[in-house]
Amino acid sequence: MRVLLVGAGGVGTAITRIAARRPFFEHFVAADHQLARAEAAVAATGDARFHAARVDAADQGAVTALLAEHRCDVLLNATDPRFVLPLFGAALAGGATYLDMAMSLSHPHPERPYQECGVKLGDAQFERAGEWERAGLPALCGIGVEPGLSDVFARYAADELFDEIEEIGVRDGADLTVDGYEFAPSFSIWTTIEECLNPPVLYDRDRGWYTTAPFSEPEVFDFPEGIGPVECVNVEHEEVLLVPRWVDARRVSFKYGLGQEFIDVLRTLHKLGLDRTDPVTVGSSAGPAAVSPRDVVAACLPDPAGLGDRMHGKTCAGTWVRGTKDGAPREVYLYHVVDNDWSMREYGSQAVVWQTAINPVIALELLAAGTWSGAGVLGPEAFPPVPFLDLVGAYGPPWQLREGG
Amino acid sequence: MRVLLVGAGGVGTAITRIAARRPFFEHFVAADHQLARAEAAVAATGDARFHAARVDAADQGAVTALLAEHRCDVLLNATDPRFVLPLFGAALAGGATYLDMAMSLSHPHPERPYQECGVKLGDAQFERAGEWERAGLPALCGIGVEPGLSDVFARYAADELFDEIEEIGVRDGADLTVDGYEFAPSFSIWTTIEECLNPPVLYDRDRGWYTTAPFSEPEVFDFPEGIGPVECVNVEHEEVLLVPRWVDARRVSFKYGLGQEFIDVLRTLHKLGLDRTDPVTVGSSAGPAAVSPRDVVAACLPDPAGLGDRMHGKTCAGTWVRGTKDGAPREVYLYHVVDNDWSMREYGSQAVVWQTAINPVIALELLAAGTWSGAGVLGPEAFPPVPFLDLVGAYGPPWQLREGG
């Protein structure tokens, strides 16, 4: 297998460190619009299979050319969701398998944004499923931790643990703190704003996909391994769009343990229009410049990938499932916890970034072995879950099952 | 009198509308870095005494040249406080009287920002007082509404109402609402951030000037004319630096009726570093651009000067004074209230902007008549207050005195 990774930010860099320990590929190009970031990621592996390149992720032609130049058969997208469509298109044009960790962006319903879906997450990718089927290639979408491992958990529950599923609810929570900063998100603020301020999407078998208001339906979920109870709210997330396509469940939801301070910050950013991505014009040293307010918010905050040394605590990603087995009600929480001290010591990557980055590498390994195969636009739940879950424990902390939800 | 006004934003434009009704000058140049703004302000007066010009307020030489070109004897600065020093310098170099409505910026004490002053508001101007004295010219600083009218009230209280003054406390509050916006400040957000997030300065006769933490010492002040009780907090403001130089009082403070929502917004902006003025680098359509986060915040919000049509309510500026008269304790609140409906109907200017803009025009009128005169760097309390207060009522709603504080 010959891999082109686009994006050498926090997750991309962690992917190179994780992949460097595995033997399943022979050539791995890390490309970024900042060549220095790609070179630093490659140098840190000390592995001759890795090569750095400069590429603009928005330039589909340039990415296709880079695939050809390095004879890569896989494109792994580790950029932010704005670049999904050009990279998805570049992989198809270049005859490469495609993987991403977030899907093409949604657009709210113009009249009833908090009741009905407009353009849904991933719609622009599923529209082109026929092209991927005809090309005989898989586009494996949403294969980070959430979406990703959470979807694999959903499929595993359906295959192994339940006869009938009433509800699948992804629940994400952490007790991470960062020394020395008043406010320091542990994940990309750009993506967090996008997923938290868009209308959350829910699935109901009778109603189909529908939306609610941001931060709706707060619930306290008790996270394992000492994290404890955290207030979680509805957030727009790919699992709700992916799971029902391959797994039969009456309801699918995603709730994120944001905490009140984070919710207040996001509400204020929205109130002031600072969540906007359409440019405003301000003065700069080189004259008037059109900049995205959300990019400026991100530029003012520390890079979450660089905070690992100051971070303490654990992060938990998991899928709560309620249904019946052998005629009796059953409830489980399938989860994966990473302790930041462990991930920093072992990989030099902070917990949230590391927990995201292992999943596309596991998927690449299963695709290389032929254990996972297919054609079309596919979610992680379209593939057999057990081989994937077996590898999670080989990469680091194993996944867990809590009986009783 | 021949006036050069620099800055044709909200306050500058209101100044032209107010001045156009007065006969005391023969030539009035409105200059702005956006010529179209200056031209619009001039055209709206329909008065042949007014002329538009383009100038960069940061370019001291260009401003001095413009003074000479139009043979102006007065420079009135209606820009934001970043341009105080070049304009102050241009007036001195050009032999012109200088007026502004905010003074040169402060810098917090490097080690003890919430206990001790670093560089104070106006320090960079007072440093050059000797040059103005030798030139025989007045630099009249802080002659808006606050500072400005509030300082005139302080001097009037000392001259006419009290034998001894214990405390002078400027108190500013409003009940303004803006239709159609979730959040729309009624005054420049740039200046509001500057004054609210800097350490508030206080004066005590024994201790001198000192600082506290932002938003400290909350108190509920009951504002007149139906505005009612509003929570006020300490804010850095010029009056605290100006009043003690000319008026004898044991304590001087400034509290602003921000309200909890506004305080929360300012705290969040600070927490995220979005109050910063030093540039961050972000992408723009023309490549990487270095922009000030605070400028981006301002660009995302509606221009307060353009909100008058959607605004309702009243704004109150005033000075609360406590002391003794003829051996008995006395407490008064001297204030000026403007109803937005009135100022929009009468001048097409929103209430806060109009209330700011009348004061430099009154001062110009008194300087033109020789009623106010002097040399050096002077605050509004350095001049006889009664002629000023008499003119307030000639321009619009009269000022008021509430006995009992």
Side-chain angles (χ1 to χ4, degrees), chain B residues 82-374:
Chain B
R82 279 175 290 188
F83 302 105
V84 162
L85 290 179
L87 294 174
F88 180 78
L92 185 60
T97 292
Y98 170 82
L99 295 88
D100 65 31
M101 289 166 275
M103 300 188 73
S104 60
L105 294 171
S106 64
H107 299 285
H109 191 278
E111 284 94 40
R112 307 184 72 222
Y114 302 146
Q115 289 86 30
E116 290 176 39
C117 294
V119 176
K120 301 188 297 303
L121 284 173
D123 275 1
Q125 292 177 280
F126 280 112
E127 258 170 29
R128 300 186 66 184
E131 294 175 67
W132 286 87
E133 284 159 23
R134 285 190 292 280
L137 284 169
L140 169 44
C141 297
I143 186 69
V145 60
E146 285 172 346
L149 180 55
S150 50
D151 300 76
V152 173
F153 282 145
R155 172 69 184 266
Y156 177 77
D159 285 5
E160 310 286 339
L161 307 177
F162 289 86
D163 297 323
E164 295 251 349
I165 294 179
E166 184 64 23
E167 180 158 8
I168 294 178
V170 183
R171 297 293 183 267
D172 178 299
D175 63 2
L176 295 166
T177 57
V178 181
D179 294 340
Y181 286 95
E182 267 209 277
F183 186 76
S186 57
F187 202 69
S188 157
I189 190 75
W190 200 100
T191 307
T192 308
I193 290 173
E194 181 71 19
E195 61 192 24
C196 294
L197 292 178
N198 276 344
V201 60
L202 291 156
Y203 174 81
D204 180 280
R205 191 187 283 149
D206 301 326
R207 187 172 170 188
W209 286 293
Y210 65 98
T211 56
T212 67
F215 313 117
S216 58
E217 298 177 28
E219 75 175 41
V220 174
F221 191 83
D222 190 19
F223 288 92
E225 299 196 21
I227 296 172
V230 179
E231 181 158 307
C232 297
V233 292
N234 280 326
V235 162
E236 179 191 54
H237 233 249
E238 286 86 348
E239 291 91 324
V240 179
L241 287 316
L242 290 171
V243 167
R245 294 176 198 260
W246 287 279
V247 175
D248 193 27
R250 175 168 294 280
R251 274 179 59 81
V252 182
S253 66
F254 180 96
K255 289 189 182 180
Y256 193 5
L258 282 173
Q260 198 55 53
E261 185 190 19
F262 211 116
I263 291 174
D264 288 344
V265 163
L266 292 170
R267 282 193 201 275
T268 300
L269 289 174
H270 181 63
K271 187 154 66 176
L272 272 59
L274 289 163
D275 58 323
R276 286 166 48 186
T277 55
D278 56 308
V280 296
T281 301
V282 291
S284 80
S285 48
V291 299
S292 145
R294 195 189 294 181
D295 287 346
V296 174
V297 172
C300 287
L301 291 170
D303 178 359
L307 294 177
D309 289 331
R310 298 161 171 266
M311 203 181 269
H312 302 285
K314 295 172 178 171
T315 187
C316 177
T319 303
W320 162 78
V321 186
R322 186 168 58 83
T324 53
K325 177 71 177 174
D326 302 326
R330 189 178 193 187
E331 204 171 326
V332 301
Y333 183 54
L334 302 163
Y335 67 89
H336 187 241
V337 168
V338 178
D339 186 317
N340 188 72
D341 288 346
W342 177 87
S343 66
M344 283 304 294
R345 197 171 57 239
E346 186 68 18
Y347 281 89
S349 297
Q350 57 104 311
V352 180
V353 160
W354 185 86
Q355 194 183 39
T356 304
I358 53 166
N359 300 286
V361 183
I362 293 173
L364 288 176
E365 184 156 354
L366 295 173
L367 290 163
T371 315
W372 277 17
S373 64

Side-chain angles (χ1 to χ4, degrees), chain A residues 1-6 15-16 19 24-31 49-51 66-67 70-77 96-97 99 360-361 364-365 367-368:
Chain A
M1 179 179 271
R2 301 174 69 88
V3 181
L4 170 60
L5 166 74
V6 182
I15 284 171
T16 59
F24 66 87
F25 60 92
E26 65 258 26
H27 192 81
F28 196 114
V29 181
R49 294 177 298 170
F50 285 84
H51 308 272
L66 191 60
L67 280 167
H70 284 272
R71 295 179 292 115
C72 291
D73 50 347
V74 177
L75 190 162
L76 169 51
N77 170 10
T97 291
L99 294 87
V361 182
L364 288 176
E365 183 156 355
L367 289 163

Side-chain angles (χ1 to χ4, degrees), chain A residues 62-126:
Chain A
V63 176
T64 306
L66 191 60
L67 280 167
E69 181 190 337
H70 284 272
R71 295 179 292 115
C72 291
D73 50 347
V74 177
L75 190 162
L76 169 51
N77 170 10
T79 66
D80 80 46
R82 280 176 288 189
F83 302 105
V84 162
L85 290 179
L87 294 174
F88 179 79
L92 185 61
T97 291
Y98 170 81
L99 294 87
D100 65 32
M101 289 166 276
M103 300 187 73
S104 60
L105 295 171
S106 64
H107 300 284
H109 191 278
E111 285 94 41
R112 307 186 70 222
Y114 301 146
Q115 289 86 29
E116 291 176 39
C117 294
V119 176
K120 301 189 298 302
L121 285 172
D123 275 0
Q125 292 176 278
F126 280 112

Side-chain angles (χ1 to χ4, degrees), chain A residues 106 108 113-114 189-201 212-215 233-236 256 258 262-276 294 297, chain B residues 182:
Chain A
S106 64
Y114 301 146
I189 190 74
W190 200 100
T191 307
T192 307
I193 289 174
E194 181 71 18
E195 61 192 23
C196 293
L197 293 178
N198 276 344
V201 61
T212 66
F215 313 117
V233 292
N234 280 326
V235 161
E236 180 190 53
Y256 193 6
L258 282 173
F262 211 116
I263 291 174
D264 288 344
V265 164
L266 292 170
R267 283 191 199 276
T268 301
L269 289 174
H270 180 64
K271 187 154 66 177
L272 273 61
L274 289 163
D275 58 323
R276 287 165 48 183
R294 195 189 295 180
V297 172
Chain B
E182 267 209 277

